[in-house]
Amino acid sequence: ARERRALPQRCEGPCTMAKTKKRDRARIEAEAKRDRDRAERESKRMLAQEEGEQTLAAIMEEQASLRKQNKKRAKKVMAARATAVEAEESEEDDAAASDEEYDSDVEALRRIRAVQAVGEAGELDGGDAEENGEADGSEDEEAIEEDLDTLMLERLDDFQLKLPFSETMAVVADQPLELENAHDDLTREVEFYKQALNAVKAGRKMLDRAKILHYRPADYFAEMIKSDAHMARIKQNLLFEKKKMEAFEQRKKQQEYKKFAKKVQAEKIREKASHKAKAKDLALEFRSKNKEIMGEKGKPKPNPRRAAKNQKYGVGKSSASRRNTAESVGSMFKRDTPNKKARRGGRR
């Protein structure tokens, strides 16, 4: 079909054979380029798919190796625990046997001491013998107690559990705590913290020496006990409680501000009243001292010019009293100076 399309078509009109060949050649080149691009895309997709499959296979192999290592480690731990349990049981049996031997040794020691005491007491006479017997009996008891203490210290090794550190995880401090004041809580807690920190460091060194893993892997994700929805509800409740407390504190502050504002306002009103009373007292004092300037009732005398204007134009009266009347209108054309001749017209 491509070859068929590539054949020159019949020219119609002004079209020439050269143009037709050029157009067909361009179309063939474009189709070839599209095919090459399609082939390249397909090859890239196949390569990407192969790389993904290889990475997935590598991840699966790594997970399988990790599972094998974990199984081997678990088997070793179980074997170590089994050996530790067996050793503990054997030590318990040895301890029981040693207890029986200890009891028999103590009984034999008591019998020997009793025989020695009886022999020494038979050589003595009368009351002196009895007194010496009592003294020897007390000395024998003290000696037996000392021997018991030594025997108990010797048997301590039998009672101790000789287990590896991975089973006990117990670290004993090198030095005891020395506190000047044992009732000082802060100093005592700081010393406890330092001692615990040193113990943790020593324990980590011992675990590293025993080649026991005690750090969490970087790719370890623990499954949460509570779901995300539950934790979201808890977070929402905590935020609600926080907002509630903030609103309560805001209301409390506003109430305090209102009380303070009321106190300030009352103080300002009190100051204003005191200033007003002082001003009133000063005015009364001034009026009492200057009675000549003020009137009889303590008021200033009226201005005569103001009084004349008030009488002429009226003040403090209703608008009806200030209306024009025939008499007031007629008074507008009266001559103020009847003796003088009235002038007519403007300037001459």
Side-chain angles (χ1 to χ4, degrees):
R2 189 177 300 166
E3 291 176 357
R4 214 169 28 247
R5 286 197 300 271
L7 292 175
Q9 296 180 359
R10 190 174 181 179
C11 183
E12 295 179 359
C15 181
T16 61
M17 186 65 69
K19 289 182 178 180
T20 305
K21 289 181 179 180
K22 188 177 181 180
R23 185 171 60 249
D24 294 339
R25 194 181 299 111
R27 186 173 65 253
I28 291 167
E29 289 177 357
E31 289 178 356
K33 188 178 180 181
R34 282 200 298 271
D35 293 338
R36 286 195 301 271
D37 294 340
R38 193 181 299 111
E40 288 178 0
R41 286 197 299 271
E42 188 67 23
S43 63
K44 288 180 181 180
R45 188 180 64 80
M46 294 296 292
L47 289 173
Q49 188 175 0
E50 289 177 359
E51 289 178 357
E53 290 177 356
Q54 290 176 0
T55 53
L56 183 62
I59 291 168
M60 294 295 289
E61 289 178 359
E62 187 176 357
Q63 288 180 355
S65 63
L66 288 174
R67 289 196 199 96
K68 288 179 181 179
Q69 290 178 4
N70 292 331
K71 286 180 181 179
K72 289 180 181 179
R73 196 180 296 115
K75 286 181 181 179
K76 288 180 181 179
V77 171
M78 293 297 291
R81 288 182 180 177
T83 53
V85 170
E86 290 176 359
E88 188 176 354
E89 290 176 356
S90 63
E91 287 177 359
E92 288 178 357
D93 296 337
D94 295 338
S98 62
D99 290 339
E100 293 177 358
E101 292 176 0
Y102 173 73
D103 294 335
S104 63
D105 293 340
V106 170
E107 188 66 26
L109 185 61
R110 284 179 181 175
R111 288 178 182 176
I112 291 167
R113 292 292 184 183
V115 170
Q116 289 177 358
V118 171
E120 291 176 359
E123 294 176 358
L124 297 174
D125 295 329
D128 295 334
E130 291 178 359
E131 292 178 358
N132 291 330
E134 291 177 358
D136 293 337
S138 62
E139 291 177 359
D140 293 337
E141 289 179 357
E142 292 177 359
I144 289 169
E145 288 180 358
E146 292 178 358
D147 293 335
L148 288 174
D149 293 338
T150 55
L151 287 171
M152 288 175 68
L153 290 173
E154 290 176 358
R155 297 293 182 180
L156 278 177
D157 295 334
D158 299 334
F159 292 105
Q160 289 180 355
L161 294 175
K162 297 179 181 180
L163 296 174
F165 176 72
S166 60
E167 295 296 329
T168 59
M169 294 291 179
V171 179
V172 181
D174 298 334
Q175 297 178 356
L177 289 178
E178 295 180 359
L179 300 174
E180 296 179 358
N181 185 10
H183 299 287
D184 189 358
D185 296 337
L186 182 60
T187 306
R188 188 177 65 250
E189 292 298 328
V190 169
E191 292 297 328
F192 286 162
Y193 170 75
K194 290 180 180 178
Q195 194 179 44
L197 184 62
N198 293 329
V200 169
K201 290 179 180 178
R204 282 187 172 179
K205 289 180 181 178
M206 295 172 72
L207 289 172
D208 292 335
R209 201 178 299 118
K211 296 181 180 180
I212 296 174
L213 300 176
H214 56 90
Y215 286 103
R216 189 177 70 178
D219 58 347
Y220 177 77
F221 295 98
E223 185 179 358
M224 301 297 290
I225 297 173
K226 296 180 180 179
S227 61
D228 295 339
H230 185 73
M231 295 303 295
R233 288 198 299 272
I234 292 172
K235 184 178 180 181
Q236 189 176 1
N237 291 333
L238 291 174
L239 291 174
F240 176 74
E241 292 293 332
K242 185 179 179 181
K243 289 181 180 179
K244 190 176 179 182
M245 292 300 295
E246 289 178 354
F248 175 74
E249 293 294 334
Q250 190 69 21
R251 287 199 302 272
K252 194 173 180 181
K253 287 181 181 179
Q254 286 180 358
Q255 289 176 359
E256 292 178 357
Y257 291 156
K258 284 182 180 179
K259 289 181 182 178
F260 181 73
K262 283 183 180 179
K263 289 181 181 179
V264 171
Q265 189 176 6
E267 189 67 25
K268 286 184 178 180
I269 292 170
R270 201 178 297 112
E271 289 179 0
K272 190 176 180 179
S274 64
H275 288 315
K276 190 174 181 181
K278 287 180 182 179
K280 191 174 182 181
D281 294 339
L282 290 173
L284 291 173
E285 186 178 356
F286 178 78
R287 287 175 183 176
S288 62
K289 287 181 180 179
N290 303 313
K291 287 184 179 180
E292 296 178 357
I293 299 172
M294 309 299 289
E296 296 179 356
K297 296 182 180 180
K299 294 182 179 181
K301 293 180 181 180
N303 191 359
R305 292 181 67 186
R306 181 74 263 170
K309 287 184 179 181
N310 289 341
Q311 186 177 5
K312 182 177 180 180
Y313 299 108
V315 61
K317 297 180 182 180
S318 62
S319 59
S321 62
R322 292 194 293 272
R323 288 177 183 174
N324 290 330
T325 58
E327 187 175 343
S328 64
V329 171
S331 64
M332 292 172 63
F333 301 101
K334 289 181 180 180
R335 296 177 180 178
D336 294 333
T337 56
N339 297 329
K340 294 180 180 181
K341 294 181 179 180
R343 294 179 180 179
R344 294 181 181 179
R347 182 181 294 178
R348 291 182 181 179

